[in-house]
Amino acid sequence: MTLHALISRRQRALFEAWIQDPLVQVQVEHPERLGRLVFLGDFDESVETEKAGRRSLKNVAIVRKPGNPDQNASVWVRAGYSSYQKAWLGFVAQVYGIKAKSDDLAGYNIDHLLNKARSPGKAGFIRIEAINDAVNQEWGRLFEKAASNPEFSANQKRFRRTMSWVIAAKLMDQPPPRGPNDHQGIARLVQFFNRNGLAADDPQRGLTEMLKFAYSLR
């Protein structure tokens, strides 16, 4: 299996988990909370929070339980930790037995699912995954730049965050709208979510509200 095939499998597994449960976590306050929060619906004693190689649990943590690692294993880093690409590559080696280098990631960024600037004091633990390079940079330049405004109280206080419409879109290689008035861009994302069985969850409203809020201080 190629690294790119693994990335696609992991993206789809996380997206489908979010479709089933919108409370999928992307940020927690401390690695000790990972076991119970990551597997909120079916926590059991087989869940392990483990070190990533020789890295300290103060910086990197792997949480997993038996079964398909695409669904049951994830890696989390402290928001202020800088070597997160190496941490993700180490996770892939430790969990999948695939030894890869940064050059093997061509076309992808390893990035925080929630912008690390939105973690108070960069102290929270955020899940990292491989994201399409161009798409990731577009979201960072547009929505994430606006949403990371330090004036938002959530960016000062909230250490627990769940996956959102915009995180799901970024994960699944969907470019961002240019803002809350980009009706064509929003409609494109709504169509994507509708095709994936989320019409009843009203993606039009969810996306529009998130965009309006993020851009409200601009």
Side-chain angles (χ1 to χ4, degrees):
M1 178 176 54
T2 67
L3 187 65
H4 285 201
L6 172 63
I7 289 169
S8 295
R9 280 182 13 187
R10 288 190 58 80
Q11 288 174 327
R12 173 54 64 173
L14 178 54
F15 181 67
E16 291 181 352
W18 176 72
I19 291 174
Q20 297 298 317
D21 183 358
L23 296 180
V24 167
Q25 301 287 321
V26 294
Q27 179 183 262
V28 302
E29 66 271 35
H30 193 277
E32 289 180 357
R33 305 287 188 269
L34 283 171
R36 294 191 178 278
L37 290 172
V38 172
F39 301 109
L40 196 61
D42 57 355
F43 176 79
D44 60 51
E45 295 304 320
S46 64
V47 174
E48 300 178 4
T49 300
E50 61 189 77
K51 292 177 64 175
R54 297 181 179 180
R55 296 174 179 85
S56 169
L57 276 172
K58 293 180 180 179
N59 291 319
V60 185
I62 293 172
V63 59
R64 60 171 159 170
K65 66 178 182 177
N68 183 350
D70 296 349
Q71 302 167 341
N72 294 339
S74 53
V75 59
W76 303 67
V77 298
R78 182 174 53 81
Y81 182 67
S82 61
S83 298
Y84 47 89
Q85 183 187 85
K86 290 181 180 179
W88 189 86
L89 291 171
F91 161 77
V92 168
Q94 188 165 323
V95 172
Y96 291 92
I98 296 175
K99 294 183 178 180
K101 299 179 180 179
S102 57
D103 290 347
D104 299 317
L105 288 167
Y108 288 92
N109 292 150
I110 304 304
D111 204 4
H112 308 80
L113 290 182
L114 181 82
N115 192 324
K116 62 184 179 182
R118 300 175 69 186
S119 181
K122 294 186 179 180
F125 266 65
I126 305 173
R127 181 168 174 165
I128 54 173
E129 291 290 347
I131 307 293
N132 176 279
D133 185 2
V135 169
N136 192 46
Q137 290 191 40
E138 280 194 73
W139 279 103
R141 180 172 54 85
L142 295 170
F143 174 83
E144 290 182 356
K145 183 177 180 180
S148 299
N149 192 315
E151 292 186 37
F152 289 128
S153 61
N155 294 340
Q156 302 169 17
K157 300 176 182 178
R158 284 184 60 188
F159 282 100
R160 292 188 187 182
R161 302 273 194 138
T162 55
M163 196 160 152
S164 66
W165 293 103
V166 298
I167 292 173
K170 180 175 76 168
L171 181 75
M172 296 304 291
D173 300 344
Q174 299 298 307
R178 293 186 299 274
N181 297 319
D182 181 6
H183 303 297
Q184 185 176 357
I186 293 171
R188 171 180 47 79
L189 286 183
V190 169
Q191 186 178 40
F192 167 77
F193 285 118
N194 287 346
R195 287 199 309 267
N196 283 275
L198 288 161
D201 293 272
D202 198 356
Q204 176 81 40
R205 180 181 59 81
L207 285 163
T208 301
E209 288 182 355
M210 288 196 72
L211 288 164
K212 284 183 176 179
F213 182 77
Y215 283 80
S216 63
L217 295 182
R218 278 195 164 187

